[in-house]
Amino acid sequence: MRITFLFFLASLIFITSCGSDDDFVCQPGVPGDLTSIPYDPVPHEVAVPFDFPPVPVPPNNELTNDGVNLGRHLFYDPILSVDSSMACAHCHLPGGGFTDTLEVSLGVGGAVGSRSSMTLINAAYYLNGLFWDGRVQSLEDQALLPVEDPVELMHQWSDVEFLLQNHDEYPTMFRKAFGITNKSEISKELTAKALAQFERCIVSAGNSKYDQVISLNGFFSPSEQNGFDMFFDSSSILPDAECGHCHNAPLFTTNEYFNNGLDSVVSLFDFDDPGLGGITMNEFDYGKFRAPTLRNIEFTAPYMHDGRFQTLEEVIDHYNSGGHFADNLDPLINPLGLTEENKADLLAFLLTLSDTTTLQNPAYQNPF
Amino acid sequence: MKQFLLLIPVCFLLLMTSCGDDTAILPEPEVADVSLTFKTMFGDNELDFNTTVYDYEGMEMTISKFDFFISNVALYKNVEGALDPEQTELFEIDFLDFTQNNNSVTIESLNVPVGEYDGIVFSIGVPSDLNAQQPGDFSVTHPLGITNVGHHWAAWDSYIFSKVEGRLDTSGNQDYVNFSYHPGTDALFSNKIEKGISINLVAGQQKTINFEIDLENIFVSGGALDIEMYPDSHSPDESTGAEHVMDNFPSSISVN
């Protein structure tokens, strides 16, 4: 009898010691059980322009068709805001180049933010911090913040989780996206993962005039070519507009942070908005902001972190002036000496970065 | 009963073997753990970005940015009777950003075969075979990948090998001249830079090789660069500053 007992004990140790933690399955009939719903994740492929690398994806949040679909629904669903009045999409409208086209964003109840919304185009490649000040390092972390921000969605994640867990459709979608076994597993982390999956798919279509010319399928007009040459300093005759240093191809951003001379300050701590310095607390980071992509810049007015410039002409005039001096003014911000013709050519080139097929891609539109 | 008695050792045997650590048996280490530490200097002092004002030909200079690509890094052994030394490659290319790393960058955990080496060789910049490619051709985390797209210049069809940026007060009255030197193109890729130093690598032991790069020497060696006259080097027709920087890299690097 003792031997029989030992045998079962040994077998029990054997079975439990080598098992996968993922093998646990809820019993059917348990409240919130989702195991009757199939979980068959299908990898989601993202097409990218020829000069882009594959979309970088973190190993703990691989793209799947169901994950991206869930993220898209959450992105457009006002369930994430405290009064169900706003969704992520309110500040990132496809038609506005995935911005809200306001000087500064408005939150629930008309709460006024302090910064202009940033475009999400090619956000998958923003690997040097997100937001204007680089305060988070991943799309997953970024997606967590607006929900509880009092000037954005003003909600509480615990309440959002409750709403999602008790929704008619989301538990099934979370099951298909992440293989959860019970709706109680729906969490803010999984919600952020789904949003990040969708945002990672918003990639340039590669159909702008610039893309066509670079891939040898089109030609710039003389004015656009002049603008290109000034943008990238590729002509010894035309002035160097210094744009490409911070807005380099193919992303048209280097994802770096600069003081581009917008404000006159006595000391670096005097900037109204500290930007990167407010995060790093490094004196020389005060007044620095992330250089945004210029792809589809035509549609993302107004410009700069506080939306102070209504038109691209104003932006060009600012850079042509050399901006305001500060101890951390970027050395590449200098008076450019552009003529009116030069400025018109530069603008013509900037407009070649427009790509409405990106903005109108059905996969990015509101699913409701 | 006999069958049960037979099953017990079988179960325990399965238990013991199925969960074993596959990495338990390791070969004797034949490598040493090598680190390369790079520190920037301005003359005899460690370089201080933004705040320290350096004297440059009687003018006040501040440095705001310094970085470069280092490539084809290898240790070498002189072999008696052989024309060329025997080389052991450490890595193909890496990017050293001093501005973002508080003046010092360390490349760690290079497993290098043990032995006595006579020095280290390397180049500054991007070798032509890699320089012919684009950021999109590399993984996003590669030193030449899109995360570092600010160091590729499509108009030259080249990577930017180094960035040296800062400001010169030409009169002491805040008459600033901003300077930015961005050398690139295959023509400016440095020849092999060879630094003789005895390096004894012992199995399983850690060894640090220290590099110092003197930025003042980069500016002044062979005659001080006239920054007022040549404040920028962003294109092949503005090559004076870029050539000056690349010409002076070899003599500005010491290894110990």
Side-chain angles (χ1 to χ4, degrees), chain B residues 4-247:
Chain B
F4 278 123
L5 286 171
L6 184 64
L7 275 172
I8 291 169
V10 171
C11 285
F12 276 104
L13 189 64
L14 282 169
L15 176 67
M16 298 299 287
T17 56
S18 63
C19 301
D21 182 355
D22 294 338
T23 60
I25 302 168
L26 292 173
E28 285 297 312
E30 295 289 338
V31 296
D33 176 8
V34 174
S35 297
L36 308 182
T37 295
F38 301 83
K39 185 184 292 180
T40 50
M41 309 291 288
F42 197 93
D44 295 330
N45 302 307
E46 289 187 21
L47 179 66
D48 180 29
F49 289 103
N50 295 307
T51 51
T52 296
V53 177
Y54 298 103
D55 176 69
Y56 184 76
E57 302 293 294
M59 295 174 279
E60 295 181 349
M61 170 190 271
T62 52
I63 307 293
S64 57
K65 191 180 190 71
F66 181 48
D67 56 42
F68 61 85
F69 286 100
I70 188 168
S71 54
N72 296 335
V73 182
L75 299 184
Y76 68 84
K77 291 177 182 174
N78 294 319
V79 181
E80 197 172 339
L83 198 60
D84 296 317
E86 178 185 312
Q87 290 197 8
T88 300
E89 184 182 277
L90 301 188
F91 56 86
E92 185 176 32
I93 193 163
D94 212 334
F95 177 68
L96 308 179
D97 185 349
F98 297 97
T99 320
Q100 296 299 318
N101 290 286
N102 206 19
N103 184 41
S104 180
V105 178
T106 299
I107 298 171
E108 297 180 307
S109 303
L110 302 168
N111 289 324
V112 184
V114 299
E116 293 189 11
Y117 295 88
D118 298 308
I120 189 165
V121 293
F122 53 91
S123 292
I124 303 299
V126 181
S128 59
D129 57 331
L130 295 175
N131 202 31
Q133 300 181 63
Q134 314 283 325
D137 297 331
F138 299 93
S139 71
V140 292
T141 55
H142 190 280
L144 300 172
I146 209 153
T147 306
N148 202 10
V149 71
H151 283 74
H152 185 264
W153 204 237
W156 298 350
D157 204 15
S158 169
Y159 280 87
I160 295 168
F161 298 162
S162 173
K163 287 188 178 180
V164 184
E165 298 178 3
R167 193 170 70 214
L168 195 67
D169 185 348
T170 56
S171 68
N173 294 314
Q174 300 187 331
D175 292 324
Y176 293 121
V177 172
N178 292 333
F179 59 83
S180 54
Y181 303 109
H182 296 175
T185 72
D186 290 346
L188 292 187
F189 179 63
S190 84
N191 290 321
K192 190 192 300 181
I193 301 171
E194 187 174 308
K195 299 289 177 182
I197 175 177
S198 177
I199 302 168
N200 185 23
L201 300 184
V202 179
Q205 290 192 5
Q206 205 276 336
K207 173 74 178 177
T208 299
I209 303 171
N210 296 296
F211 291 70
E212 287 187 354
I213 305 99
D214 181 0
L215 200 51
E216 183 180 36
N217 191 74
I218 286 179
F219 281 110
V220 303
S221 183
L225 174 63
D226 188 339
I227 292 174
E228 279 187 272
M229 183 171 288
Y230 306 108
D232 302 312
S233 259
H234 301 160
S235 61
D237 59 299
E238 301 168 329
S239 62
T240 302
E243 289 173 5
H244 187 97
V245 167
M246 293 305 292
D247 286 348

